[in-house]
Amino acid sequence: MASGHGYLKRGRPPCGRWPHPGGSSSSFDGRDGGRSVEVVGELSGARRVAVLVPGAGVGLDAYGRLRRGAMARQRELGEGGAVVAWLGYRSPATVSPASVTDGRAAEAAPRLRHLVDRPGATLPGARITLLCHSYGSVICARAASGTPADPIVLYGSPGTGAEDVAALPTTCR
């Protein structure tokens, strides 16, 4: 699929196929650095859903790292748990002007909000957790308002623009 979207340098998608075994890709777009949403585990009927939001420097070429994290988290959640590996935006390079501004976060936040709202509407009893790394924490802080996500975990965060934790839209303090 990656080759079909112009990623000839890669030769083939990670693990030689898309979606990966044990997961299902609910979306894939190989253009402009690539976007992907992959569910690890069974989303329908899940009681716990973790959404992994990666930071700067993660694109399709480094997707394996995100996927390994999703698989490990799903094993921790066990039965009744699902993990969504969300690469739904063009991640900035780690050292770049785009990584020190919130422009890409502003573009990505509505897409993340829409994604989080879907399981919240179809799985009303599920606990949805956003796990946001690095630049992904900027996206999560912008996206979380009004979503069913609770809690929000920020790690390796450069900051969110919120003055303090009370300014983040979650009931967990």
Side-chain angles (χ1 to χ4, degrees):
M1 208 181 233
S3 296
H5 283 82
Y7 278 89
L8 302 177
K9 73 177 184 175
R10 226 176 249 106
R12 59 191 177 123
C15 300
R17 66 191 128 211
W18 200 280
H20 296 284
S24 62
S25 180
S26 49
S27 72
F28 173 82
D29 184 345
R31 296 172 291 177
D32 194 26
R35 316 279 187 291
S36 176
V37 178
E38 182 178 2
V39 177
V40 178
E42 183 59 47
L43 188 57
S44 67
R47 295 181 311 276
R48 294 173 311 280
V49 178
V51 180
L52 303 183
V53 181
V58 178
L60 290 181
D61 287 330
Y63 184 78
R65 228 178 353 169
L66 177 62
R67 182 161 197 284
R68 283 189 301 276
M71 292 177 71
R73 182 67 185 139
Q74 197 283 324
R75 282 191 300 274
E76 291 170 0
L77 290 173
E79 188 177 326
V83 178
V84 179
W86 186 78
L87 183 58
Y89 76 110
R90 186 168 56 110
S91 170
T94 304
V95 179
S96 69
S99 69
V100 295
T101 64
D102 67 353
R104 293 195 186 170
E107 292 172 11
R111 290 191 294 274
L112 178 59
R113 187 177 307 114
H114 177 72
L115 176 116
V116 172
D117 285 347
R118 288 190 333 205
T122 59
L123 304 168
R127 181 173 190 175
I128 301 170
T129 303
L130 291 176
L131 301 169
C132 316
H133 178 251
S134 181
Y135 193 84
S137 63
V138 180
I139 297 168
C140 288
R142 287 178 159 264
S145 180
T147 70
D150 185 30
I152 301 169
V153 179
L154 310 176
Y155 58 105
S157 176
T160 63
E163 291 295 318
D164 57 33
V165 71
L168 291 174
T170 179
T171 58
C172 239
R173 300 280 183 240

PDB file of all heavy atoms in Angstrom, residues 43 45-49 51 84 112-129 146-150:
ATOM      1  N   LEU A  43     -11.789  -3.253  19.221  1.00  0.00           N
ATOM      2  CA  LEU A  43     -12.385  -1.982  19.621  1.00  0.00           C
ATOM      3  C   LEU A  43     -13.873  -2.122  19.958  1.00  0.00           C
ATOM      4  O   LEU A  43     -14.337  -1.562  20.943  1.00  0.00           O
ATOM      5  CB  LEU A  43     -12.183  -0.922  18.530  1.00  0.00           C
ATOM      6  CG  LEU A  43     -12.578   0.498  18.885  1.00  0.00           C
ATOM      7  CD1 LEU A  43     -11.833   0.982  20.123  1.00  0.00           C
ATOM      8  CD2 LEU A  43     -12.305   1.425  17.711  1.00  0.00           C
ATOM      9  N   GLY A  45     -16.849  -3.199  21.696  1.00  0.00           N
ATOM     10  CA  GLY A  45     -17.052  -3.792  23.007  1.00  0.00           C
ATOM     11  C   GLY A  45     -15.940  -3.525  24.012  1.00  0.00           C
ATOM     12  O   GLY A  45     -15.991  -4.034  25.127  1.00  0.00           O
ATOM     13  N   ALA A  46     -14.917  -2.749  23.636  1.00  0.00           N
ATOM     14  CA  ALA A  46     -13.814  -2.465  24.559  1.00  0.00           C
ATOM     15  C   ALA A  46     -14.311  -1.661  25.755  1.00  0.00           C
ATOM     16  O   ALA A  46     -15.144  -0.777  25.631  1.00  0.00           O
ATOM     17  CB  ALA A  46     -12.703  -1.695  23.842  1.00  0.00           C
ATOM     18  N   ARG A  47     -13.797  -1.994  26.914  1.00  0.00           N
ATOM     19  CA  ARG A  47     -14.113  -1.249  28.142  1.00  0.00           C
ATOM     20  C   ARG A  47     -13.052  -0.192  28.431  1.00  0.00           C
ATOM     21  O   ARG A  47     -13.311   0.756  29.149  1.00  0.00           O
ATOM     22  CB  ARG A  47     -14.232  -2.211  29.320  1.00  0.00           C
ATOM     23  CG  ARG A  47     -15.401  -3.176  29.185  1.00  0.00           C
ATOM     24  CD  ARG A  47     -15.542  -4.115  30.368  1.00  0.00           C
ATOM     25  NE  ARG A  47     -14.320  -4.797  30.776  1.00  0.00           N
ATOM     26  CZ  ARG A  47     -13.840  -5.923  30.233  1.00  0.00           C
ATOM     27  NH1 ARG A  47     -14.485  -6.488  29.238  1.00  0.00           N
ATOM     28  NH2 ARG A  47     -12.736  -6.481  30.683  1.00  0.00           N
ATOM     29  N   ARG A  48     -11.853  -0.421  27.879  1.00  0.00           N
ATOM     30  CA  ARG A  48     -10.756   0.527  28.041  1.00  0.00           C
ATOM     31  C   ARG A  48     -10.142   0.755  26.667  1.00  0.00           C
ATOM     32  O   ARG A  48      -9.807  -0.205  25.965  1.00  0.00           O
ATOM     33  CB  ARG A  48      -9.703  -0.036  29.002  1.00  0.00           C
ATOM     34  CG  ARG A  48     -10.215  -0.187  30.419  1.00  0.00           C
ATOM     35  CD  ARG A  48      -9.227  -0.894  31.333  1.00  0.00           C
ATOM     36  NE  ARG A  48      -8.655  -2.138  30.811  1.00  0.00           N
ATOM     37  CZ  ARG A  48      -9.260  -3.330  30.818  1.00  0.00           C
ATOM     38  NH1 ARG A  48     -10.470  -3.439  31.304  1.00  0.00           N
ATOM     39  NH2 ARG A  48      -8.661  -4.404  30.358  1.00  0.00           N
ATOM     40  N   VAL A  49      -9.995   2.027  26.308  1.00  0.00           N
ATOM     41  CA  VAL A  49      -9.407   2.388  25.022  1.00  0.00           C
ATOM     42  C   VAL A  49      -8.294   3.391  25.290  1.00  0.00           C
ATOM     43  O   VAL A  49      -8.522   4.428  25.916  1.00  0.00           O
ATOM     44  CB  VAL A  49     -10.452   3.014  24.067  1.00  0.00           C
ATOM     45  CG1 VAL A  49      -9.804   3.421  22.748  1.00  0.00           C
ATOM     46  CG2 VAL A  49     -11.625   2.065  23.843  1.00  0.00           C
ATOM     47  N   VAL A  51      -5.514   5.819  23.414  1.00  0.00           N
ATOM     48  CA  VAL A  51      -5.175   6.440  22.139  1.00  0.00           C
ATOM     49  C   VAL A  51      -3.759   6.991  22.269  1.00  0.00           C
ATOM     50  O   VAL A  51      -3.511   7.875  23.099  1.00  0.00           O
ATOM     51  CB  VAL A  51      -6.161   7.575  21.773  1.00  0.00           C
ATOM     52  CG1 VAL A  51      -5.774   8.203  20.437  1.00  0.00           C
ATOM     53  CG2 VAL A  51      -7.595   7.048  21.725  1.00  0.00           C
ATOM     54  N   VAL A  84      -5.472   2.504  20.106  1.00  0.00           N
ATOM     55  CA  VAL A  84      -5.493   3.151  18.807  1.00  0.00           C
ATOM     56  C   VAL A  84      -4.164   3.879  18.651  1.00  0.00           C
ATOM     57  O   VAL A  84      -3.845   4.778  19.433  1.00  0.00           O
ATOM     58  CB  VAL A  84      -6.660   4.158  18.683  1.00  0.00           C
ATOM     59  CG1 VAL A  84      -6.637   4.835  17.321  1.00  0.00           C
ATOM     60  CG2 VAL A  84      -7.993   3.468  18.929  1.00  0.00           C
ATOM     61  N   LEU A 112      -8.132  14.622  15.831  1.00  0.00           N
ATOM     62  CA  LEU A 112      -8.020  13.778  17.015  1.00  0.00           C
ATOM     63  C   LEU A 112      -9.324  13.816  17.815  1.00  0.00           C
ATOM     64  O   LEU A 112      -9.812  12.783  18.274  1.00  0.00           O
ATOM     65  CB  LEU A 112      -6.848  14.207  17.894  1.00  0.00           C
ATOM     66  CG  LEU A 112      -6.665  13.405  19.190  1.00  0.00           C
ATOM     67  CD1 LEU A 112      -6.443  11.925  18.901  1.00  0.00           C
ATOM     68  CD2 LEU A 112      -5.530  13.982  20.008  1.00  0.00           C
ATOM     69  N   ARG A 113      -9.901  14.990  17.957  1.00  0.00           N
ATOM     70  CA  ARG A 113     -11.168  15.119  18.685  1.00  0.00           C
ATOM     71  C   ARG A 113     -12.241  14.254  18.033  1.00  0.00           C
ATOM     72  O   ARG A 113     -12.975  13.540  18.712  1.00  0.00           O
ATOM     73  CB  ARG A 113     -11.613  16.579  18.727  1.00  0.00           C
ATOM     74  CG  ARG A 113     -12.832  16.819  19.613  1.00  0.00           C
ATOM     75  CD  ARG A 113     -13.218  18.292  19.691  1.00  0.00           C
ATOM     76  NE  ARG A 113     -12.116  19.143  20.075  1.00  0.00           N
ATOM     77  CZ  ARG A 113     -11.555  20.076  19.280  1.00  0.00           C
ATOM     78  NH1 ARG A 113     -12.018  20.271  18.064  1.00  0.00           N
ATOM     79  NH2 ARG A 113     -10.562  20.809  19.704  1.00  0.00           N
ATOM     80  N   HIS A 114     -12.321  14.295  16.720  1.00  0.00           N
ATOM     81  CA  HIS A 114     -13.299  13.490  15.988  1.00  0.00           C
ATOM     82  C   HIS A 114     -13.054  11.997  16.240  1.00  0.00           C
ATOM     83  O   HIS A 114     -13.998  11.237  16.479  1.00  0.00           O
ATOM     84  CB  HIS A 114     -13.230  13.809  14.494  1.00  0.00           C
ATOM     85  CG  HIS A 114     -14.150  12.983  13.662  1.00  0.00           C
ATOM     86  ND1 HIS A 114     -15.512  13.153  13.655  1.00  0.00           N
ATOM     87  CD2 HIS A 114     -13.900  11.944  12.829  1.00  0.00           C
ATOM     88  CE1 HIS A 114     -16.061  12.279  12.843  1.00  0.00           C
ATOM     89  NE2 HIS A 114     -15.106  11.526  12.341  1.00  0.00           N
ATOM     90  N   LEU A 115     -11.799  11.580  16.206  1.00  0.00           N
ATOM     91  CA  LEU A 115     -11.479  10.179  16.445  1.00  0.00           C
ATOM     92  C   LEU A 115     -11.890   9.751  17.849  1.00  0.00           C
ATOM     93  O   LEU A 115     -12.469   8.694  18.034  1.00  0.00           O
ATOM     94  CB  LEU A 115      -9.980   9.934  16.257  1.00  0.00           C
ATOM     95  CG  LEU A 115      -9.564   8.505  16.591  1.00  0.00           C
ATOM     96  CD1 LEU A 115      -9.047   7.807  15.364  1.00  0.00           C
ATOM     97  CD2 LEU A 115      -8.562   8.484  17.708  1.00  0.00           C
ATOM     98  N   VAL A 116     -11.603  10.563  18.862  1.00  0.00           N
ATOM     99  CA  VAL A 116     -11.926  10.222  20.252  1.00  0.00           C
ATOM    100  C   VAL A 116     -13.431  10.226  20.477  1.00  0.00           C
ATOM    101  O   VAL A 116     -13.945   9.425  21.254  1.00  0.00           O
ATOM    102  CB  VAL A 116     -11.203  11.186  21.225  1.00  0.00           C
ATOM    103  CG1 VAL A 116     -11.668  10.982  22.650  1.00  0.00           C
ATOM    104  CG2 VAL A 116      -9.699  10.991  21.123  1.00  0.00           C
ATOM    105  N   ASP A 117     -14.139  11.078  19.797  1.00  0.00           N
ATOM    106  CA  ASP A 117     -15.591  11.133  19.949  1.00  0.00           C
ATOM    107  C   ASP A 117     -16.281   9.875  19.429  1.00  0.00           C
ATOM    108  O   ASP A 117     -17.321   9.481  19.953  1.00  0.00           O
ATOM    109  CB  ASP A 117     -16.176  12.354  19.237  1.00  0.00           C
ATOM    110  CG  ASP A 117     -15.918  13.647  20.001  1.00  0.00           C
ATOM    111  OD1 ASP A 117     -15.518  13.574  21.184  1.00  0.00           O
ATOM    112  OD2 ASP A 117     -16.090  14.725  19.411  1.00  0.00           O
ATOM    113  N   ARG A 118     -15.720   9.224  18.420  1.00  0.00           N
ATOM    114  CA  ARG A 118     -16.362   8.031  17.845  1.00  0.00           C
ATOM    115  C   ARG A 118     -16.491   6.896  18.854  1.00  0.00           C
ATOM    116  O   ARG A 118     -17.596   6.411  19.078  1.00  0.00           O
ATOM    117  CB  ARG A 118     -15.643   7.581  16.574  1.00  0.00           C
ATOM    118  CG  ARG A 118     -15.897   8.516  15.427  1.00  0.00           C
ATOM    119  CD  ARG A 118     -15.423   8.031  14.100  1.00  0.00           C
ATOM    120  NE  ARG A 118     -14.312   7.101  14.151  1.00  0.00           N
ATOM    121  CZ  ARG A 118     -13.457   6.926  13.163  1.00  0.00           C
ATOM    122  NH1 ARG A 118     -13.566   7.602  12.060  1.00  0.00           N
ATOM    123  NH2 ARG A 118     -12.488   6.055  13.271  1.00  0.00           N
ATOM    124  N   PRO A 119     -15.404   6.439  19.491  1.00  0.00           N
ATOM    125  CA  PRO A 119     -15.620   5.379  20.483  1.00  0.00           C
ATOM    126  C   PRO A 119     -16.422   5.867  21.687  1.00  0.00           C
ATOM    127  O   PRO A 119     -17.143   5.093  22.309  1.00  0.00           O
ATOM    128  CB  PRO A 119     -14.224   4.928  20.894  1.00  0.00           C
ATOM    129  CG  PRO A 119     -13.274   5.852  20.275  1.00  0.00           C
ATOM    130  CD  PRO A 119     -13.998   6.674  19.254  1.00  0.00           C
ATOM    131  N   GLY A 120     -16.314   7.143  22.020  1.00  0.00           N
ATOM    132  CA  GLY A 120     -17.092   7.678  23.131  1.00  0.00           C
ATOM    133  C   GLY A 120     -18.584   7.574  22.881  1.00  0.00           C
ATOM    134  O   GLY A 120     -19.369   7.318  23.786  1.00  0.00           O
ATOM    135  N   ALA A 121     -18.992   7.741  21.622  1.00  0.00           N
ATOM    136  CA  ALA A 121     -20.413   7.660  21.270  1.00  0.00           C
ATOM    137  C   ALA A 121     -20.879   6.215  21.137  1.00  0.00           C
ATOM    138  O   ALA A 121     -21.991   5.881  21.514  1.00  0.00           O
ATOM    139  CB  ALA A 121     -20.667   8.411  19.970  1.00  0.00           C
ATOM    140  N   THR A 122     -20.025   5.351  20.598  1.00  0.00           N
ATOM    141  CA  THR A 122     -20.448   3.970  20.350  1.00  0.00           C
ATOM    142  C   THR A 122     -20.149   3.038  21.516  1.00  0.00           C
ATOM    143  O   THR A 122     -20.711   1.956  21.585  1.00  0.00           O
ATOM    144  CB  THR A 122     -19.777   3.416  19.074  1.00  0.00           C
ATOM    145  OG1 THR A 122     -18.362   3.476  19.234  1.00  0.00           O
ATOM    146  CG2 THR A 122     -20.202   4.202  17.852  1.00  0.00           C
ATOM    147  N   LEU A 123     -19.257   3.444  22.412  1.00  0.00           N
ATOM    148  CA  LEU A 123     -18.914   2.639  23.592  1.00  0.00           C
ATOM    149  C   LEU A 123     -19.105   3.501  24.834  1.00  0.00           C
ATOM    150  O   LEU A 123     -18.138   3.897  25.482  1.00  0.00           O
ATOM    151  CB  LEU A 123     -17.459   2.166  23.505  1.00  0.00           C
ATOM    152  CG  LEU A 123     -17.052   1.374  22.265  1.00  0.00           C
ATOM    153  CD1 LEU A 123     -15.546   1.231  22.183  1.00  0.00           C
ATOM    154  CD2 LEU A 123     -17.729   0.012  22.275  1.00  0.00           C
ATOM    155  N   PRO A 124     -20.341   3.819  25.198  1.00  0.00           N
ATOM    156  CA  PRO A 124     -20.584   4.793  26.252  1.00  0.00           C
ATOM    157  C   PRO A 124     -19.982   4.438  27.611  1.00  0.00           C
ATOM    158  O   PRO A 124     -19.669   5.312  28.392  1.00  0.00           O
ATOM    159  CB  PRO A 124     -22.109   4.891  26.332  1.00  0.00           C
ATOM    160  CG  PRO A 124     -22.617   3.688  25.649  1.00  0.00           C
ATOM    161  CD  PRO A 124     -21.577   3.250  24.675  1.00  0.00           C
ATOM    162  N   GLY A 125     -19.750   3.171  27.901  1.00  0.00           N
ATOM    163  CA  GLY A 125     -19.166   2.799  29.187  1.00  0.00           C
ATOM    164  C   GLY A 125     -17.651   2.705  29.177  1.00  0.00           C
ATOM    165  O   GLY A 125     -17.037   2.458  30.205  1.00  0.00           O
ATOM    166  N   ALA A 126     -17.041   2.891  28.020  1.00  0.00           N
ATOM    167  CA  ALA A 126     -15.593   2.714  27.907  1.00  0.00           C
ATOM    168  C   ALA A 126     -14.834   3.899  28.506  1.00  0.00           C
ATOM    169  O   ALA A 126     -15.267   5.044  28.404  1.00  0.00           O
ATOM    170  CB  ALA A 126     -15.194   2.542  26.448  1.00  0.00           C
ATOM    171  N   ARG A 127     -13.708   3.588  29.116  1.00  0.00           N
ATOM    172  CA  ARG A 127     -12.806   4.637  29.602  1.00  0.00           C
ATOM    173  C   ARG A 127     -11.783   4.886  28.505  1.00  0.00           C
ATOM    174  O   ARG A 127     -11.067   3.969  28.091  1.00  0.00           O
ATOM    175  CB  ARG A 127     -12.118   4.193  30.875  1.00  0.00           C
ATOM    176  CG  ARG A 127     -11.207   5.279  31.400  1.00  0.00           C
ATOM    177  CD  ARG A 127     -10.644   4.947  32.732  1.00  0.00           C
ATOM    178  NE  ARG A 127      -9.976   6.130  33.255  1.00  0.00           N
ATOM    179  CZ  ARG A 127      -9.462   6.202  34.440  1.00  0.00           C
ATOM    180  NH1 ARG A 127      -9.543   5.182  35.263  1.00  0.00           N
ATOM    181  NH2 ARG A 127      -8.859   7.295  34.839  1.00  0.00           N
ATOM    182  N   ILE A 128     -11.726   6.113  28.041  1.00  0.00           N
ATOM    183  CA  ILE A 128     -10.820   6.486  26.958  1.00  0.00           C
ATOM    184  C   ILE A 128      -9.700   7.330  27.547  1.00  0.00           C
ATOM    185  O   ILE A 128      -9.950   8.342  28.200  1.00  0.00           O
ATOM    186  CB  ILE A 128     -11.559   7.264  25.850  1.00  0.00           C
ATOM    187  CG1 ILE A 128     -12.685   6.405  25.285  1.00  0.00           C
ATOM    188  CG2 ILE A 128     -10.580   7.690  24.756  1.00  0.00           C
ATOM    189  CD1 ILE A 128     -13.621   7.146  24.366  1.00  0.00           C
ATOM    190  N   THR A 129      -8.469   6.892  27.314  1.00  0.00           N
ATOM    191  CA  THR A 129      -7.295   7.582  27.813  1.00  0.00           C
ATOM    192  C   THR A 129      -6.465   8.068  26.642  1.00  0.00           C
ATOM    193  O   THR A 129      -6.197   7.302  25.715  1.00  0.00           O
ATOM    194  CB  THR A 129      -6.437   6.636  28.682  1.00  0.00           C
ATOM    195  OG1 THR A 129      -7.237   6.138  29.751  1.00  0.00           O
ATOM    196  CG2 THR A 129      -5.232   7.345  29.242  1.00  0.00           C
ATOM    197  N   GLY A 146     -14.232  18.797  25.659  1.00  0.00           N
ATOM    198  CA  GLY A 146     -15.517  18.290  25.184  1.00  0.00           C
ATOM    199  C   GLY A 146     -15.503  16.855  24.728  1.00  0.00           C
ATOM    200  O   GLY A 146     -16.519  16.347  24.275  1.00  0.00           O
ATOM    201  N   THR A 147     -14.356  16.158  24.817  1.00  0.00           N
ATOM    202  CA  THR A 147     -14.321  14.754  24.421  1.00  0.00           C
ATOM    203  C   THR A 147     -14.541  13.874  25.645  1.00  0.00           C
ATOM    204  O   THR A 147     -14.399  14.339  26.774  1.00  0.00           O
ATOM    205  CB  THR A 147     -12.960  14.365  23.786  1.00  0.00           C
ATOM    206  OG1 THR A 147     -11.977  14.370  24.810  1.00  0.00           O
ATOM    207  CG2 THR A 147     -12.575  15.290  22.653  1.00  0.00           C
ATOM    208  N   PRO A 148     -14.837  12.606  25.427  1.00  0.00           N
ATOM    209  CA  PRO A 148     -14.987  11.696  26.566  1.00  0.00           C
ATOM    210  C   PRO A 148     -13.653  11.189  27.110  1.00  0.00           C
ATOM    211  O   PRO A 148     -13.644  10.322  27.971  1.00  0.00           O
ATOM    212  CB  PRO A 148     -15.816  10.553  25.969  1.00  0.00           C
ATOM    213  CG  PRO A 148     -15.474  10.556  24.524  1.00  0.00           C
ATOM    214  CD  PRO A 148     -15.239  12.001  24.168  1.00  0.00           C
ATOM    215  N   ALA A 149     -12.534  11.715  26.623  1.00  0.00           N
ATOM    216  CA  ALA A 149     -11.222  11.250  27.090  1.00  0.00           C
ATOM    217  C   ALA A 149     -10.965  11.706  28.521  1.00  0.00           C
ATOM    218  O   ALA A 149     -11.106  12.873  28.851  1.00  0.00           O
ATOM    219  CB  ALA A 149     -10.121  11.782  26.175  1.00  0.00           C
ATOM    220  N   ASP A 150     -10.601  10.739  29.347  1.00  0.00           N
ATOM    221  CA  ASP A 150     -10.291  11.039  30.741  1.00  0.00           C
ATOM    222  C   ASP A 150      -9.657   9.794  31.331  1.00  0.00           C
ATOM    223  O   ASP A 150     -10.309   8.762  31.387  1.00  0.00           O
ATOM    224  CB  ASP A 150     -11.569  11.401  31.496  1.00  0.00           C
ATOM    225  CG  ASP A 150     -11.307  11.846  32.918  1.00  0.00           C
ATOM    226  OD1 ASP A 150     -10.231  12.410  33.167  1.00  0.00           O
ATOM    227  OD2 ASP A 150     -12.174  11.611  33.769  1.00  0.00           O
TER     228      ASP A 150
END
